[in-house]
């Protein structure tokens, strides 16, 4: 059993934190949202008054926050994790942010004698609930081995991607492709429906060809194609990941024209008021002007 601290109890963080409690770890939690904290306390966690207080109660501290500025603030800001961490403790950021911010935070913590891993999370909230997420891990091998009992409570496939920041490089690569796939799949289904094809026919064919993908098979099947556009994975987070992936590619001198078109579609969804809806709402974005709906039978 490890004393674990967890900061960021949102869509993903709450079930991940619950799985740590279920695995027998002593959990201390913090979130800006007091209601989210209360639910974890009811599940067996202890509340702390700040990220620093979480860190001083913990051997391993985890963050699962929206974006890089949130992580920087929670770690290096006033009352942040860095103030409470003891020499020899371990910090794991499981949010999706950029490799550069990860490496800068890692360098700041190393000066305090604290090791860091990045371990962004793959798959969906349903997998986070089941504890079967894919974890993309960056950092030293010995640090990963130290963290393994804690990470195993939240993930099924723990994949070491390289040094610190490489988990984030992998996650941005993954999410660039995932965003392209859901946007393109939505366009194609609406196009087929407008041409007069039923969803049943389209799925029967697509399932057998190279066009099939997990967005169609799992994410859209479970939500958008049932007319459910509640998150899940919010449009604004998909936009953030696509933006960070494009920035990473720009810094490497690489062109990503399909990624740029996908980012534009996600921007269009935000401007249409869909920022806090599930990313599957890109289907709705194409359906409305086409005057068709692509839905599974109730
Ligand atoms: P969310 O918005 O549901 O949750 C974020 C939580 O962080 C909220 O409870 C919020 O109150 C809290 N928070 C924000 N700033 C804070 C701060 N400074 N201190 C303490 N708490 C703070 O987001 P989510 O969907 O859980 O995503 C979290 C991260 O995981 C993001 O980086 C996202 O890209 C990534 N991710 C999400 C999914 C998904 O399917 N939702 C899947 C994989 C990865």
């Amino acid at each position: 059993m490890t004393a674990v601290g967890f900061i960021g109890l949102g869509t993903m963080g709450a079930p991940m934190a619950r799985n740590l409690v279920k695995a027998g770890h002593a959990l201390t939690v913090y979130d800006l949202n007091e209601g989210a904290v209360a639910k974890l306390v009811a599940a067996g966690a202890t509340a702390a008054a700040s990220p620093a207080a979480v860190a001083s109660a913990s051997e391993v501290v985890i963050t699962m926050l929206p974006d890089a500025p949130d992580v920087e603030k929670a770690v290096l800001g006033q009352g942040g994790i860095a103030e409470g961490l003891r020499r020899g403790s371990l910090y794991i950021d499981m949010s999706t942010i950029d490799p550069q911010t990860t490496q800068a935070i890692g360098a700041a913590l190393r000066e305090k004698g604290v090791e860091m891993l990045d371990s962004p999370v793959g798959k969906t909230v349903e997998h986070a609930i089941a504890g079967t997420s894919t974890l993309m891990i960056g950092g030293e091998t010995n640090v990963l081995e130290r963290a393994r009992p804690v990470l195993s409570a939240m993930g099924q496939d723990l994949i070491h991607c390289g040094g610190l920041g490489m988990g984030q490089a992998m996650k941005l690569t993954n999410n660039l492709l995932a965003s392209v796939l859901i946007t393109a799949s939505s366009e194609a289904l609406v196009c087929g429906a407008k041409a007069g094809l039923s969803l049943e026919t389209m799925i029967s064919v697509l399932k057998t060809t190279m066009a099939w993908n997990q967005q169609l098979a799992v994410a859209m099947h479970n939500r958008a194609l049932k007319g459910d556009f509640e998150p899940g994975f919010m449009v604004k987070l998909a936009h953030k990941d696509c933006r960070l992936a494009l920035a990473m590619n720009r810094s490497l001198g690489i062109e990503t024209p399909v990624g740029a078109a996908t980012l534009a579609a996600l921007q269009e969804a935000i401007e249409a008021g869909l920022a806090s809806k599930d990313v599957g709402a890109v289907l709705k974005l194409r359906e409305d002007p086409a005057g068709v709906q692509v839905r599974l039978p109730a």
Side-chain angles (χ1 to χ4, degrees):
M1 186 194 80
T2 306
V4 181
F6 204 106
I7 297 163
L9 305 167
T11 306
M12 293 292 283
M16 289 160 63
R18 277 172 192 273
N19 283 330
L20 287 166
V21 174
K22 277 191 209 152
H25 299 293
L27 196 71
T28 306
V29 297
Y30 176 79
D31 193 293
L32 295 176
N33 176 348
E34 288 176 10
V37 172
K39 283 186 189 157
L40 251 296
V41 169
T46 304
S50 66
V54 169
S56 55
S58 309
E59 299 158 60
V60 176
V61 179
I62 296 170
T63 45
M64 189 56 171
L65 297 166
D67 199 351
D70 307 307
V71 177
E72 272 182 319
K73 188 169 165 232
V75 182
L76 303 174
Q78 203 182 354
I81 293 166
E83 287 179 14
L85 280 171
R86 290 180 296 257
R87 187 165 278 277
S89 47
L90 171 59
Y91 167 59
I92 310 172
D93 182 32
M94 302 189 77
S95 328
T96 305
I97 65 167
D98 57 287
Q100 285 80 7
T101 302
T102 301
Q103 288 157 358
I105 292 173
L109 293 181
R110 204 167 304 122
E111 285 180 13
K112 292 176 166 285
V114 171
E115 302 277 11
M116 176 175 174
L117 295 174
D118 51 314
S119 179
V121 179
K123 301 199 278 195
T124 68
V125 61
E126 286 76 20
H127 297 95
I129 292 167
T132 56
S133 300
T134 297
L135 304 185
M136 303 164 224
I137 303 162
E140 300 296 327
T141 306
N142 63 321
V143 183
L144 163 54
E145 288 316 316
R146 210 180 127 198
R148 193 178 286 278
V150 170
L151 292 173
S152 298
M154 298 175 283
Q156 188 173 56
D157 295 304
L158 276 58
I159 299 174
H160 192 191
C161 301
L164 189 66
M166 286 303 103
Q168 298 296 357
M170 181 63 238
K171 175 66 179 172
L172 295 182
T173 302
N174 179 83
N175 277 27
L176 176 61
L177 182 54
S179 294
V180 166
L181 287 173
I182 199 162
T183 307
S185 299
S186 298
E187 281 187 18
L189 292 184
V190 169
C191 176
K194 189 74 181 174
L197 294 166
S198 72
L199 179 58
E200 194 187 2
T201 302
M202 288 192 275
I203 288 180
S204 308
V205 172
L206 294 171
K207 249 181 172 165
T208 71
T209 73
M210 298 311 114
W212 198 234
N213 65 74
Q214 297 267 54
Q215 292 285 27
L216 278 168
V218 181
M220 293 179 75
H221 177 89
N222 288 344
R223 282 199 162 75
L225 295 178
K226 292 180 174 157
D228 177 4
F229 297 106
E230 294 310 310
F233 182 49
M234 288 183 278
V235 166
K236 63 183 173 191
L237 291 177
H239 181 275
K240 177 252 320 178
D241 292 351
C242 203
R243 171 175 56 76
L244 293 178
L246 263 57
M248 180 172 84
N249 290 344
R250 252 197 320 277
S251 76
L252 298 169
I254 293 170
E255 294 289 324
T256 43
V258 178
T262 302
L263 183 65
L266 293 167
Q267 180 65 34
E268 192 187 336
I270 289 173
E271 283 161 18
L274 301 170
S276 295
K277 297 292 177 189
D278 188 76
V279 65
V282 291
L283 179 70
K284 206 168 147 41
L285 195 68
R286 295 292 167 253
E287 284 176 338
D288 292 351
V292 294
Q293 275 202 342
V294 192
R295 295 287 180 275
L296 292 164

